[in-house]
Amino acid sequence: QACTYPCQCPSQPLQCPAGTSHVLDACGCCKVCARQLGELCSLQKPCDHHKGLYCDFSKIHRGSGICLAHEGATCDLLGKIYHNGESFQPTCKLQCICMDGAIGCIPLCSDDLRLPSPECPSPRRVKFRNKCCEEWICEEGSEENRFETAMAVFREDPAQKPELNDLQENCLVQTTEWSACSKSCGMGISARVTNDNPQCRLEKETRLCMVRPCDFPMEKTKKGKKCVRTPKPRQSLHFEFSGCTSTRSYRPKFCGSCTDGRCCTPYVTSTVEVEFRCPEGDFFQRKMMFIKMCSCHYDCPRDNDIFLATYHRRMIGDHV
Protein backbone atom coordinates (compact mmCIF):
# COMPACT_ATOMS: atom_id res chain seq x y z
CA GLN A 1 0.00 0.00 0.00
CA ALA A 2 1.20 3.50 -0.78
CA CYS A 3 2.29 5.63 2.16
CA THR A 4 0.40 8.81 2.93
CA TYR A 5 1.86 11.74 4.87
CA PRO A 6 1.42 13.27 7.36
CA CYS A 7 1.16 9.99 9.28
CA GLN A 8 -2.21 9.04 10.73
CA CYS A 9 -1.83 6.46 13.49
CA PRO A 10 -4.54 5.01 15.76
CA SER A 11 -5.09 7.07 18.92
CA GLN A 12 -5.52 3.92 21.05
CA PRO A 13 -2.35 2.47 22.62
CA LEU A 14 -1.01 -0.61 20.89
CA GLN A 15 -2.03 -3.90 22.56
CA CYS A 16 0.24 -6.78 21.53
CA PRO A 17 0.51 -10.33 22.92
CA ALA A 18 3.20 -10.95 25.55
CA GLY A 19 6.68 -11.19 24.04
CA THR A 20 5.68 -9.46 20.78
CA SER A 21 7.73 -6.46 19.67
CA HIS A 22 6.32 -3.07 18.64
CA VAL A 23 7.91 -2.21 15.27
CA LEU A 24 7.49 0.57 12.72
CA ASP A 25 5.58 -0.11 9.50
CA ALA A 26 7.27 0.28 6.10
CA CYS A 27 6.23 3.95 5.92
CA GLY A 28 8.09 4.68 9.15
CA CYS A 29 4.85 6.06 10.53
CA CYS A 30 3.06 3.88 13.03
CA LYS A 31 4.01 1.19 15.50
CA VAL A 32 2.41 -2.19 14.78
CA CYS A 33 2.52 -5.61 16.45
CA ALA A 34 5.34 -7.54 14.78
CA ARG A 35 4.37 -10.72 12.95
CA GLN A 36 5.77 -13.96 14.36
CA LEU A 37 7.31 -17.08 12.81
CA GLY A 38 5.01 -18.66 10.21
CA GLU A 39 2.54 -15.75 10.16
CA LEU A 40 1.59 -13.77 7.05
CA CYS A 41 3.47 -10.50 6.63
CA SER A 42 3.66 -7.47 4.33
CA LEU A 43 5.34 -4.07 4.21
CA GLN A 44 2.64 -2.72 6.52
CA LYS A 45 2.81 -5.81 8.76
CA PRO A 46 6.54 -6.50 9.19
CA CYS A 47 8.11 -9.50 10.91
CA ASP A 48 9.75 -9.34 14.34
CA HIS A 49 13.33 -8.48 13.39
CA HIS A 50 14.34 -8.51 17.08
CA LYS A 51 13.89 -12.29 16.91
CA GLY A 52 15.83 -12.65 13.66
CA LEU A 53 12.70 -12.99 11.48
CA TYR A 54 12.26 -11.67 7.94
CA CYS A 55 9.37 -11.52 5.45
CA ASP A 56 9.86 -14.03 2.63
CA PHE A 57 7.83 -12.86 -0.39
CA SER A 58 8.89 -15.74 -2.67
CA LYS A 59 6.24 -18.24 -1.54
CA ILE A 60 3.06 -16.09 -1.51
CA HIS A 61 1.97 -13.56 -4.15
CA ARG A 62 0.06 -10.25 -4.13
CA GLY A 63 2.37 -8.34 -1.83
CA SER A 64 2.17 -10.82 1.02
CA GLY A 65 4.84 -13.05 2.46
CA ILE A 66 5.47 -15.37 5.35
CA CYS A 67 7.73 -14.77 8.36
CA LEU A 68 10.79 -17.01 8.36
CA ALA A 69 13.84 -17.12 10.62
CA HIS A 70 17.44 -16.59 9.56
CA GLU A 71 19.57 -19.70 9.92
CA GLY A 72 20.28 -20.61 13.54
CA ALA A 73 20.49 -23.49 15.96
CA THR A 74 17.34 -25.17 17.24
CA CYS A 75 16.44 -25.48 20.94
CA ASP A 76 15.72 -28.62 22.94
CA LEU A 77 13.42 -28.30 25.96
CA LEU A 78 12.41 -31.49 27.78
CA GLY A 79 12.88 -33.49 24.59
CA LYS A 80 10.85 -31.16 22.37
CA ILE A 81 12.65 -29.36 19.54
CA TYR A 82 11.88 -25.70 18.74
CA HIS A 83 13.09 -23.88 15.62
CA ASN A 84 15.19 -20.73 15.70
CA GLY A 85 12.83 -17.74 16.11
CA GLU A 86 9.90 -19.88 17.29
CA SER A 87 7.74 -18.62 20.17
CA PHE A 88 6.13 -21.13 22.51
CA GLN A 89 4.51 -21.54 25.93
CA PRO A 90 5.92 -24.49 27.93
CA THR A 91 3.44 -23.61 30.70
CA CYS A 92 0.60 -21.11 31.01
CA LYS A 93 2.91 -18.99 33.21
CA LEU A 94 5.75 -18.56 30.68
CA GLN A 95 6.12 -17.17 27.15
CA CYS A 96 9.41 -18.33 25.59
CA ILE A 97 11.37 -17.97 22.36
CA CYS A 98 14.20 -19.97 20.79
CA MET A 99 17.07 -17.69 19.73
CA ASP A 100 19.87 -19.53 17.92
CA GLY A 101 20.03 -22.40 20.42
CA ALA A 102 19.27 -20.34 23.55
CA ILE A 103 15.85 -20.15 25.20
CA GLY A 104 14.59 -16.87 26.69
CA CYS A 105 11.35 -16.60 28.67
CA ILE A 106 9.21 -13.86 30.18
CA PRO A 107 6.71 -14.52 33.01
CA LEU A 108 3.03 -14.08 32.20
CA CYS A 109 2.02 -13.95 35.87
CA SER A 110 2.77 -11.13 38.29
CA ASP A 111 5.61 -11.95 40.69
CA ASP A 112 4.98 -9.11 43.14
CA LEU A 113 5.02 -9.42 46.92
CA ARG A 114 2.74 -7.79 49.49
CA LEU A 115 3.21 -6.68 53.07
CA PRO A 116 0.30 -6.26 55.48
CA SER A 117 -1.33 -2.83 55.31
CA PRO A 118 -4.28 -1.21 57.13
CA GLU A 119 -6.54 -1.87 54.11
CA CYS A 120 -5.25 -5.42 53.66
CA PRO A 121 -4.04 -6.83 57.00
CA SER A 122 -3.79 -10.45 55.81
CA PRO A 123 -2.86 -10.61 52.11
CA ARG A 124 -2.87 -14.09 50.59
CA ARG A 125 -2.32 -15.45 47.10
CA VAL A 126 -4.85 -18.05 45.99
CA LYS A 127 -5.30 -20.20 42.90
CA PHE A 128 -8.69 -19.82 41.25
CA ARG A 129 -10.22 -22.55 39.13
CA ASN A 130 -9.84 -22.07 35.37
CA LYS A 131 -7.21 -19.34 35.97
CA CYS A 132 -3.51 -19.90 35.44
CA CYS A 133 -2.11 -17.12 37.64
CA GLU A 134 -2.64 -16.82 41.37
CA GLU A 135 -4.38 -13.66 42.60
CA TRP A 136 -4.20 -11.62 45.80
CA ILE A 137 -7.12 -11.64 48.22
CA CYS A 138 -7.42 -9.70 51.47
CA GLU A 139 -8.69 -11.61 54.47
CA GLU A 140 -10.30 -9.63 57.27
CA GLY A 141 -8.77 -10.55 60.62
CA SER A 142 -9.68 -9.52 64.15
CA GLU A 143 -8.95 -5.94 65.23
CA GLU A 144 -6.14 -7.18 67.47
CA ASN A 145 -4.58 -9.22 64.67
CA ARG A 146 -4.91 -6.26 62.27
CA PHE A 147 -2.62 -4.11 64.41
CA GLU A 148 -0.16 -6.91 65.09
CA THR A 149 0.44 -7.57 61.39
CA ALA A 150 0.50 -3.91 60.38
CA MET A 151 2.86 -2.83 63.19
CA ALA A 152 5.78 -4.54 61.41
CA VAL A 153 5.38 -2.13 58.50
CA PHE A 154 3.82 1.05 59.86
CA ARG A 155 4.98 3.33 62.66
CA GLU A 156 2.28 4.33 65.12
CA ASP A 157 3.24 7.62 66.74
CA PRO A 158 0.14 9.87 66.83
CA ALA A 159 1.33 11.86 69.87
CA GLN A 160 4.35 13.20 68.02
CA LYS A 161 2.79 13.92 64.62
CA PRO A 162 -1.00 13.62 64.66
CA GLU A 163 -1.30 14.88 61.09
CA LEU A 164 0.53 11.91 59.58
CA ASN A 165 -2.15 9.78 57.97
CA ASP A 166 -0.48 9.16 54.64
CA LEU A 167 0.67 5.61 53.94
CA GLN A 168 4.10 6.72 52.73
CA GLU A 169 4.69 8.97 55.75
CA ASN A 170 3.90 6.15 58.18
CA CYS A 171 5.72 3.44 56.22
CA LEU A 172 8.77 1.80 57.78
CA VAL A 173 10.93 1.30 54.71
CA GLN A 174 12.34 -2.22 54.37
CA THR A 175 14.77 -2.96 51.54
CA THR A 176 16.95 -6.00 50.90
CA GLU A 177 20.44 -5.72 49.42
CA TRP A 178 20.88 -6.14 45.67
CA SER A 179 21.40 -9.71 44.46
CA ALA A 180 24.53 -10.72 42.58
CA CYS A 181 24.52 -9.91 38.85
CA SER A 182 22.95 -12.71 36.78
CA LYS A 183 25.91 -12.73 34.35
CA SER A 184 29.65 -12.80 34.98
CA CYS A 185 30.21 -10.81 31.76
CA GLY A 186 27.94 -8.74 29.51
CA MET A 187 24.59 -7.21 30.46
CA GLY A 188 22.70 -8.98 33.26
CA ILE A 189 20.03 -8.33 35.88
CA SER A 190 20.30 -7.64 39.62
CA ALA A 191 17.23 -7.60 41.90
CA ARG A 192 16.09 -6.60 45.38
CA VAL A 193 12.82 -6.39 47.32
CA THR A 194 11.61 -3.08 48.79
CA ASN A 195 8.46 -1.38 50.09
CA ASP A 196 9.80 2.13 49.39
CA ASN A 197 6.78 3.19 47.31
CA PRO A 198 3.56 5.21 47.85
CA GLN A 199 1.55 2.06 48.67
CA CYS A 200 4.19 0.74 51.14
CA ARG A 201 3.92 -2.56 49.25
CA LEU A 202 6.77 -5.06 49.16
CA GLU A 203 7.75 -5.30 45.49
CA LYS A 204 10.57 -6.75 43.43
CA GLU A 205 12.83 -4.11 41.85
CA THR A 206 15.41 -4.82 39.14
CA ARG A 207 18.34 -3.00 37.60
CA LEU A 208 20.72 -3.72 34.74
CA CYS A 209 24.26 -4.70 35.69
CA MET A 210 27.56 -5.37 33.97
CA VAL A 211 30.41 -6.84 35.98
CA ARG A 212 32.65 -6.60 32.91
CA PRO A 213 32.19 -6.69 29.11
CA CYS A 214 32.74 -10.17 27.67
CA ASP A 215 35.51 -8.84 25.41
CA PHE A 216 37.12 -6.67 28.13
CA PRO A 217 40.95 -6.87 27.91
CA MET A 218 42.34 -7.84 31.33
CA GLU A 219 45.19 -5.68 32.62
CA LYS A 220 48.41 -7.24 33.79
CA THR A 221 48.78 -7.43 37.57
CA LYS A 222 51.43 -5.32 39.23
CA LYS A 223 54.51 -7.01 40.64
CA GLY A 224 53.73 -8.67 43.98
CA LYS A 225 49.94 -8.49 43.45
CA LYS A 226 47.69 -11.30 42.25
CA CYS A 227 44.50 -9.34 41.45
CA VAL A 228 43.36 -6.39 39.36
CA ARG A 229 40.27 -5.19 41.24
CA THR A 230 38.50 -2.30 39.46
CA PRO A 231 39.99 -1.41 36.07
CA LYS A 232 38.42 1.30 33.89
CA PRO A 233 38.09 1.09 30.10
CA ARG A 234 40.59 3.29 28.26
CA GLN A 235 37.78 4.89 26.23
CA SER A 236 34.19 5.81 27.12
CA LEU A 237 31.54 3.40 25.86
CA HIS A 238 27.81 3.19 25.11
CA PHE A 239 25.78 0.48 26.84
CA GLU A 240 23.65 -1.83 24.68
CA PHE A 241 20.46 -3.52 25.88
CA SER A 242 17.90 -5.43 23.76
CA GLY A 243 19.20 -3.85 20.56
CA CYS A 244 18.99 -0.32 22.03
CA THR A 245 21.93 1.97 22.85
CA SER A 246 22.46 4.40 25.73
CA THR A 247 22.02 8.01 24.62
CA ARG A 248 25.22 9.10 26.37
CA SER A 249 28.59 7.45 26.80
CA TYR A 250 30.05 6.30 30.13
CA ARG A 251 33.44 5.32 31.53
CA PRO A 252 32.40 2.88 34.27
CA LYS A 253 34.55 0.77 36.54
CA PHE A 254 34.53 -2.99 36.01
CA CYS A 255 35.71 -5.90 38.12
CA GLY A 256 39.06 -7.34 37.13
CA SER A 257 40.61 -10.77 37.50
CA CYS A 258 42.96 -12.75 39.72
CA THR A 259 45.77 -15.19 38.96
CA ASP A 260 45.34 -17.30 42.11
CA GLY A 261 41.90 -18.84 41.46
CA ARG A 262 39.86 -16.10 43.13
CA CYS A 263 37.11 -14.20 41.32
CA CYS A 264 36.32 -10.48 41.54
CA THR A 265 32.71 -9.33 42.00
CA PRO A 266 31.05 -5.96 42.79
CA TYR A 267 31.08 -5.07 46.49
CA VAL A 268 30.06 -1.39 46.72
CA THR A 269 27.76 -0.09 43.97
CA SER A 270 25.49 2.80 43.04
CA THR A 271 22.30 2.90 40.96
CA VAL A 272 21.86 5.40 38.11
CA GLU A 273 19.01 5.96 35.62
CA VAL A 274 20.35 5.33 32.09
CA GLU A 275 18.41 6.41 28.99
CA PHE A 276 18.38 4.11 25.95
CA ARG A 277 17.42 4.87 22.34
CA CYS A 278 16.09 2.10 20.08
CA PRO A 279 16.48 1.82 16.27
CA GLU A 280 12.73 2.51 15.89
CA GLY A 281 13.21 5.88 17.64
CA ASP A 282 11.78 4.94 21.06
CA PHE A 283 13.41 6.10 24.27
CA PHE A 284 13.22 4.37 27.65
CA GLN A 285 15.03 4.56 30.98
CA ARG A 286 16.37 1.71 33.10
CA LYS A 287 18.09 1.65 36.46
CA MET A 288 21.66 0.41 36.12
CA MET A 289 24.37 -0.64 38.54
CA PHE A 290 27.61 1.30 38.59
CA ILE A 291 30.55 -0.30 40.41
CA LYS A 292 32.44 1.69 43.03
CA MET A 293 34.55 -1.12 44.45
CA CYS A 294 35.09 -4.84 43.80
CA SER A 295 36.21 -7.58 46.17
CA CYS A 296 38.24 -10.68 45.33
CA HIS A 297 37.30 -13.96 47.03
CA TYR A 298 36.97 -17.73 46.65
CA ASP A 299 33.14 -17.75 46.95
CA CYS A 300 32.78 -17.78 43.16
CA PRO A 301 29.59 -18.23 41.11
CA ARG A 302 29.47 -21.63 39.43
CA ASP A 303 28.79 -22.04 35.71
CA ASN A 304 27.42 -18.47 35.53
CA ASP A 305 23.99 -19.74 36.62
CA ILE A 306 21.73 -17.49 38.72
CA PHE A 307 19.52 -20.46 39.59
CA LEU A 308 22.25 -22.36 41.48
CA ALA A 309 21.93 -21.82 45.23
CA THR A 310 25.65 -22.24 45.96
CA TYR A 311 26.41 -18.59 45.26
CA HIS A 312 25.23 -16.41 48.15
CA ARG A 313 27.45 -13.33 47.87
CA ARG A 314 25.51 -10.06 47.78
CA MET A 315 26.40 -6.43 47.03
CA ILE A 316 26.28 -3.93 49.88
CA GLY A 317 26.27 -0.18 50.44
CA ASP A 318 24.13 0.95 47.54
CA HIS A 319 24.69 4.72 47.31
CA VAL A 320 22.43 6.58 44.89
Coordinates of all heavy atoms in Angstrom, one line a residue, residues 62-114:
R62 N 0.9 -11.4 -4.4 CA 0.1 -10.2 -4.1 C 0.5 -9.5 -2.9 O -0.2 -9.1 -2.1 CB -1.4 -10.7 -3.9 CG -2.0 -11.3 -5.2 CD -3.5 -11.6 -4.9 NE -4.1 -12.2 -6.1 CZ -5.3 -12.6 -6.2 NH1 -6.1 -12.6 -5.1 NH2 -5.8 -13.2 -7.3
G63 N 1.8 -9.2 -2.9 CA 2.4 -8.3 -1.8 C 2.4 -8.9 -0.4 O 2.7 -8.2 0.5
S64 N 2.1 -10.2 -0.3 CA 2.2 -10.8 1.0 C 3.3 -11.8 1.1 O 3.7 -12.3 0.0 CB 0.9 -11.5 1.3 OG -0.2 -10.6 1.5
G65 N 3.8 -12.1 2.3 CA 4.8 -13.1 2.5 C 4.6 -13.8 3.7 O 3.5 -13.8 4.3
I66 N 5.6 -14.6 4.1 CA 5.5 -15.4 5.4 C 6.7 -15.2 6.2 O 7.8 -15.0 5.6 CB 5.3 -16.9 5.0 CG1 4.9 -17.6 6.3 CG2 6.5 -17.5 4.3 CD1 4.4 -19.0 6.0
C67 N 6.6 -15.0 7.5 CA 7.7 -14.8 8.4 C 8.6 -16.0 8.5 O 8.1 -17.1 9.0 CB 7.2 -14.3 9.7 SG 6.6 -12.6 9.7
L68 N 9.8 -15.9 8.2 CA 10.8 -17.0 8.4 C 12.0 -16.5 9.2 O 12.2 -15.3 9.3 CB 11.3 -17.5 7.0 CG 10.3 -18.1 6.0 CD1 10.9 -18.5 4.7 CD2 9.5 -19.3 6.6
A69 N 12.7 -17.5 9.8 CA 13.8 -17.1 10.6 C 15.1 -17.3 9.8 O 15.2 -18.2 9.0 CB 13.8 -18.0 11.9
H70 N 16.1 -16.4 10.1 CA 17.4 -16.6 9.6 C 18.0 -17.9 10.1 O 17.6 -18.4 11.2 CB 18.3 -15.4 9.9 CG 17.9 -14.1 9.2 ND1 18.1 -13.9 7.9 CD2 17.3 -13.0 9.7 CE1 17.6 -12.7 7.6 NE2 17.1 -12.1 8.7
E71 N 19.0 -18.4 9.5 CA 19.6 -19.7 9.9 C 20.1 -19.6 11.3 O 20.7 -18.6 11.7 CB 20.7 -20.1 9.0 CG 20.2 -21.0 7.8 CD 21.4 -21.6 7.1 OE1 22.2 -22.3 7.7 OE2 21.5 -21.4 5.9
G72 N 19.8 -20.6 12.1 CA 20.3 -20.6 13.5 C 20.0 -22.0 14.2 O 19.2 -22.8 13.6
A73 N 20.6 -22.2 15.3 CA 20.5 -23.5 16.0 C 19.1 -23.7 16.6 O 18.5 -22.7 17.0 CB 21.6 -23.6 17.1
T74 N 18.6 -24.9 16.6 CA 17.3 -25.2 17.2 C 17.5 -25.3 18.7 O 18.6 -25.3 19.2 CB 16.7 -26.5 16.7 OG1 17.7 -27.5 16.9 CG2 16.4 -26.4 15.2
C75 N 16.4 -25.4 19.5 CA 16.4 -25.5 20.9 C 15.7 -26.8 21.4 O 14.7 -27.2 20.8 CB 15.7 -24.3 21.6 SG 16.4 -22.7 21.1
D76 N 16.3 -27.4 22.4 CA 15.7 -28.6 22.9 C 15.3 -28.4 24.4 O 16.1 -28.0 25.2 CB 16.8 -29.7 22.9 CG 16.2 -31.1 23.4 OD1 15.1 -31.1 23.9 OD2 16.9 -32.1 23.3
L77 N 14.0 -28.5 24.6 CA 13.4 -28.3 26.0 C 12.6 -29.5 26.3 O 11.5 -29.8 25.7 CB 12.6 -27.0 26.0 CG 12.0 -26.7 27.4 CD1 13.1 -26.4 28.4 CD2 11.0 -25.5 27.3
L78 N 13.1 -30.3 27.3 CA 12.4 -31.5 27.8 C 12.1 -32.4 26.6 O 11.0 -33.0 26.6 CB 11.1 -31.1 28.5 CG 11.3 -30.2 29.8 CD1 10.0 -29.8 30.4 CD2 12.2 -30.9 30.8
G79 N 13.0 -32.6 25.7 CA 12.9 -33.5 24.6 C 12.1 -33.0 23.4 O 12.0 -33.6 22.4
K80 N 11.6 -31.8 23.5 CA 10.8 -31.2 22.4 C 11.7 -30.1 21.7 O 12.4 -29.3 22.3 CB 9.6 -30.5 22.9 CG 8.6 -30.1 21.7 CD 7.3 -29.7 22.2 CE 6.4 -29.3 21.0 NZ 5.0 -28.9 21.4
I81 N 11.8 -30.2 20.3 CA 12.6 -29.4 19.5 C 11.9 -28.1 19.1 O 10.8 -28.3 18.5 CB 13.2 -30.1 18.3 CG1 14.0 -31.4 18.8 CG2 14.1 -29.2 17.5 CD1 15.2 -31.1 19.7
Y82 N 12.5 -26.9 19.2 CA 11.9 -25.7 18.7 C 12.8 -25.1 17.7 O 14.1 -25.1 17.9 CB 11.6 -24.7 19.9 CG 10.6 -25.2 20.9 CD1 11.0 -25.9 22.1 CD2 9.2 -25.1 20.7 CE1 10.1 -26.4 23.0 CE2 8.3 -25.6 21.6 CZ 8.7 -26.2 22.7 OH 7.8 -26.7 23.6
H83 N 12.3 -24.5 16.7 CA 13.1 -23.9 15.6 C 13.6 -22.5 16.1 O 13.0 -21.9 16.9 CB 12.3 -23.7 14.3 CG 11.9 -25.1 13.7 ND1 12.8 -25.9 13.2 CD2 10.6 -25.6 13.7 CE1 12.1 -27.0 12.8 NE2 10.8 -26.9 13.0
N84 N 14.7 -22.1 15.4 CA 15.2 -20.7 15.7 C 14.1 -19.7 15.4 O 13.5 -19.7 14.3 CB 16.4 -20.5 14.8 CG 17.0 -19.1 15.0 OD1 17.0 -18.6 16.1 ND2 17.4 -18.5 14.0
G85 N 13.8 -18.8 16.3 CA 12.8 -17.7 16.1 C 11.4 -18.2 16.5 O 10.5 -17.3 16.5
E86 N 11.2 -19.4 16.9 CA 9.9 -19.9 17.3 C 9.5 -19.5 18.7 O 10.3 -19.6 19.7 CB 9.9 -21.4 17.2 CG 8.5 -22.0 17.4 CD 8.4 -23.5 17.2 OE1 9.5 -24.1 16.8 OE2 7.4 -24.1 17.5
S87 N 8.3 -18.9 18.9 CA 7.7 -18.6 20.2 C 6.9 -19.8 20.7 O 6.2 -20.4 19.9 CB 6.9 -17.3 20.1 OG 7.7 -16.2 19.8
F88 N 6.9 -20.0 22.0 CA 6.1 -21.1 22.5 C 5.9 -20.9 24.0 O 6.5 -20.0 24.6 CB 6.9 -22.5 22.3 CG 8.2 -22.5 22.9 CD1 8.4 -23.1 24.2 CD2 9.3 -22.0 22.3 CE1 9.7 -23.1 24.8 CE2 10.6 -22.1 22.8 CZ 10.8 -22.6 24.1
Q89 N 4.9 -21.6 24.5 CA 4.5 -21.5 25.9 C 4.6 -22.9 26.6 O 3.8 -23.8 26.4 CB 3.1 -21.1 26.1 CG 2.9 -19.5 26.1 CD 1.5 -19.1 26.4 OE1 0.7 -18.7 25.6 NE2 1.2 -19.2 27.7
P90 N 5.8 -23.2 27.3 CA 5.9 -24.5 27.9 C 4.9 -24.7 29.0 O 4.5 -25.8 29.3 CB 7.4 -24.4 28.5 CG 7.7 -23.0 28.6 CD 6.9 -22.3 27.5
T91 N 4.5 -23.6 29.7 CA 3.4 -23.6 30.7 C 2.6 -22.4 30.5 O 3.0 -21.4 29.8 CB 4.0 -23.6 32.2 OG1 4.5 -22.3 32.5 CG2 5.1 -24.7 32.3
C92 N 1.5 -22.3 31.2 CA 0.6 -21.1 31.0 C 1.2 -19.9 31.7 O 0.8 -18.8 31.5 CB -0.8 -21.4 31.6 SG -0.8 -21.7 33.4
K93 N 2.3 -20.1 32.5 CA 2.9 -19.0 33.2 C 4.1 -18.4 32.5 O 4.7 -17.4 33.0 CB 3.3 -19.4 34.6 CG 2.1 -19.8 35.5 CD 2.6 -20.2 36.9 CE 1.4 -20.5 37.8 NZ 1.8 -20.8 39.2
L94 N 4.5 -19.0 31.4 CA 5.8 -18.6 30.7 C 5.5 -18.4 29.2 O 4.9 -19.3 28.6 CB 6.9 -19.6 30.9 CG 7.6 -19.6 32.3 CD1 8.6 -20.7 32.3 CD2 8.2 -18.3 32.6
Q95 N 6.1 -17.4 28.6 CA 6.1 -17.2 27.2 C 7.6 -17.2 26.8 O 8.4 -16.4 27.2 CB 5.5 -15.8 26.8 CG 5.6 -15.5 25.3 CD 4.6 -16.3 24.5 OE1 3.5 -16.6 24.8 NE2 5.1 -16.8 23.3
C96 N 8.0 -18.1 25.9 CA 9.4 -18.3 25.6 C 9.7 -18.2 24.1 O 8.8 -18.2 23.3 CB 9.9 -19.7 26.1 SG 9.7 -20.0 27.8
I97 N 11.0 -18.0 23.8 CA 11.4 -18.0 22.4 C 12.7 -18.7 22.2 O 13.6 -18.6 23.1 CB 11.5 -16.5 21.8 CG1 11.9 -16.5 20.4 CG2 12.4 -15.7 22.7 CD1 11.8 -15.2 19.7
C98 N 12.9 -19.3 21.1 CA 14.2 -20.0 20.8 C 15.0 -19.0 20.0 O 14.6 -18.5 18.9 CB 14.0 -21.3 20.0 SG 15.5 -22.0 19.4
M99 N 16.2 -18.6 20.4 CA 17.1 -17.7 19.7 C 18.4 -18.3 19.5 O 19.3 -18.3 20.4 CB 17.2 -16.4 20.5 CG 16.0 -15.6 20.7 SD 15.6 -14.6 19.2 CE 16.8 -13.3 19.4
D100 N 18.6 -18.9 18.3 CA 19.9 -19.5 17.9 C 20.4 -20.5 19.0 O 21.6 -20.4 19.4 CB 20.9 -18.4 17.6 CG 22.1 -19.0 16.8 OD1 22.0 -20.1 16.2 OD2 23.1 -18.3 16.8
G101 N 19.6 -21.4 19.5 CA 20.0 -22.4 20.4 C 19.8 -22.0 21.9 O 19.9 -22.9 22.8
A102 N 19.5 -20.8 22.2 CA 19.3 -20.3 23.5 C 17.8 -20.0 23.7 O 17.1 -19.6 22.8 CB 20.1 -19.1 23.9
I103 N 17.3 -20.4 24.9 CA 15.9 -20.1 25.2 C 15.7 -19.0 26.2 O 16.4 -18.9 27.2 CB 15.2 -21.4 25.8 CG1 15.2 -22.6 24.8 CG2 13.8 -21.1 26.3 CD1 14.7 -23.9 25.3
G104 N 14.9 -18.0 25.8 CA 14.6 -16.9 26.7 C 13.1 -16.8 27.0 O 12.3 -17.1 26.1
C105 N 12.8 -16.6 28.3 CA 11.4 -16.6 28.7 C 11.0 -15.3 29.4 O 11.8 -14.8 30.1 CB 11.1 -17.8 29.5 SG 11.4 -19.4 28.7
I106 N 9.7 -14.9 29.3 CA 9.2 -13.9 30.2 C 8.0 -14.4 31.0 O 7.2 -15.2 30.4 CB 8.8 -12.6 29.4 CG1 7.7 -13.0 28.3 CG2 10.0 -11.9 28.7 CD1 7.1 -11.8 27.7
P107 N 7.8 -14.0 32.2 CA 6.7 -14.5 33.0 C 5.4 -13.9 32.6 O 5.4 -12.7 32.3 CB 7.1 -14.1 34.5 CG 8.0 -13.0 34.3 CD 8.8 -13.2 33.0
L108 N 4.4 -14.6 32.5 CA 3.0 -14.1 32.2 C 2.2 -13.8 33.4 O 1.2 -13.2 33.4 CB 2.3 -15.1 31.3 CG 2.9 -15.4 30.0 CD1 2.1 -16.5 29.2 CD2 3.1 -14.2 29.1
C109 N 2.7 -14.2 34.6 CA 2.0 -13.9 35.9 C 2.8 -12.9 36.7 O 4.1 -12.9 36.7 CB 1.9 -15.2 36.7 SG 0.8 -16.5 35.9
S110 N 2.1 -12.1 37.4 CA 2.8 -11.1 38.3 C 3.5 -11.8 39.4 O 3.1 -12.8 40.0 CB 1.7 -10.2 38.9 OG 2.3 -9.4 39.9
D111 N 4.8 -11.3 39.7 CA 5.6 -11.9 40.7 C 5.8 -11.0 41.9 O 6.8 -11.1 42.6 CB 7.0 -12.3 40.1 CG 7.8 -13.2 41.0 OD1 7.2 -14.0 41.7 OD2 9.0 -13.1 40.9
D112 N 4.8 -10.1 42.1 CA 5.0 -9.1 43.1 C 4.7 -9.7 44.5 O 4.1 -10.8 44.7 CB 4.1 -7.9 42.9 CG 2.6 -8.3 42.9 OD1 2.3 -9.5 42.7 OD2 1.7 -7.4 43.1
L113 N 5.2 -9.0 45.5 CA 5.0 -9.4 46.9 C 4.2 -8.4 47.6 O 4.1 -7.2 47.2 CB 6.4 -9.6 47.6 CG 7.4 -10.5 46.9 CD1 8.8 -10.3 47.4 CD2 7.0 -11.9 47.2
R114 N 3.5 -8.8 48.8 CA 2.7 -7.8 49.5 C 3.0 -7.9 51.0 O 3.0 -9.0 51.5 CB 1.2 -8.0 49.2 CG 0.8 -7.5 47.8 CD -0.7 -7.4 47.7 NE -1.2 -6.3 48.5 CZ -2.5 -5.9 48.3 NH1 -3.2 -6.4 47.4 NH2 -2.9 -4.9 49.0

